[in-house]
Amino acid sequence: MAAEDSKAPRSRVQLVIGIIRRGDEILLVRESLGAGGEILWSLPGGGVEDGELMHEALRRELHEETGLLVGDPVRTAFLMHIDSERHPSALAAAFEIDEWSGNLTPQDDDIEQAAFFPLPEALELLGELDSATQREPIVGYLTGAVAPGTTWLYRNRGTEETLVARW
């Protein structure tokens, strides 16, 4: 019986990420993302709650983190499947959003600021993310180095992040 208990399934983490553009600018949020708790810039997004579909979670998370009201996604930017010790088999999906309204007024206490940046400056800020899992898919997509809809598979153990496959 003890062996069966140790194989009990753990809850799976599902994340959604939004890409909002204003002309040649990209919306970023500033929050504690660094390995040592550093405040860094990244794309807005967060967890899918039980009973939510991805597009519902995306609208909720983007409203909480930016204050904006957003429409449904128009395309999948990229997918990530991450196996880590803390979150086995986590899935993250990033989506482009074309329709949005409102003012940048973050309502999430974890978000220090939300702002639009010209793409070159946004890429520089995103390049400061110390996790390859957080950085590579975002920068690859925004620079056009990888095709929209690319799937990234990572296995993370301790501080080692390994890109297992990408297609």
Side-chain angles (χ1 to χ4, degrees):
M1 191 62 112
E4 288 177 19
D5 291 340
S6 67
K7 294 202 182 244
R10 291 196 231 174
S11 62
R12 303 289 166 109
V13 173
Q14 297 176 0
L15 303 169
V16 289
I17 301 163
I19 299 171
I20 298 177
R21 299 174 191 262
R22 183 175 70 187
D24 292 334
E25 298 177 314
I26 300 289
L27 178 62
L28 301 179
V29 295
R30 191 168 148 88
E31 62 183 314
S32 176
L33 288 174
E38 299 88 359
I39 305 297
L40 300 170
W41 291 95
S42 189
L43 295 174
V48 178
E49 295 177 357
D50 288 344
E52 272 185 324
L53 296 173
M54 285 185 174
H55 72 295
E56 295 165 338
L58 187 64
R59 282 197 299 262
R60 178 185 51 75
E61 283 290 343
L62 293 182
H63 186 264
E64 289 172 4
E65 291 195 358
T66 70
L68 299 179
L69 299 174
V70 302
D72 286 336
V74 293
R75 77 191 132 280
T76 301
F78 58 85
L79 299 171
M80 287 189 296
H81 192 185
I82 306 159
D83 176 45
S84 70
E85 293 157 322
R86 184 170 177 212
H87 300 291
S89 201
L91 181 65
F95 302 100
E96 285 268 0
I97 304 291
D98 282 354
E99 294 182 21
W100 55 272
S101 63
N103 297 312
L104 295 178
T105 54
Q107 300 165 19
D108 185 324
D109 291 339
D110 293 335
I111 303 298
E112 276 197 1
Q113 186 180 1
F116 283 95
F117 292 92
L119 183 58
E121 188 177 345
L123 289 169
E124 187 175 314
L125 291 168
L126 293 165
E128 295 175 7
L129 292 166
D130 52 15
S131 166
T133 307
Q134 293 174 337
R135 182 184 62 251
E136 291 174 348
I138 294 170
V139 172
Y141 174 75
L142 291 176
T143 61
V146 296
T150 296
T151 299
W152 301 72
L153 303 178
Y154 284 94
R155 180 155 286 125
N156 298 348
R157 294 293 180 264
T159 58
E160 186 177 327
E161 297 175 293
T162 304
L163 177 61
V164 176
R166 182 180 80 192
W167 61 80

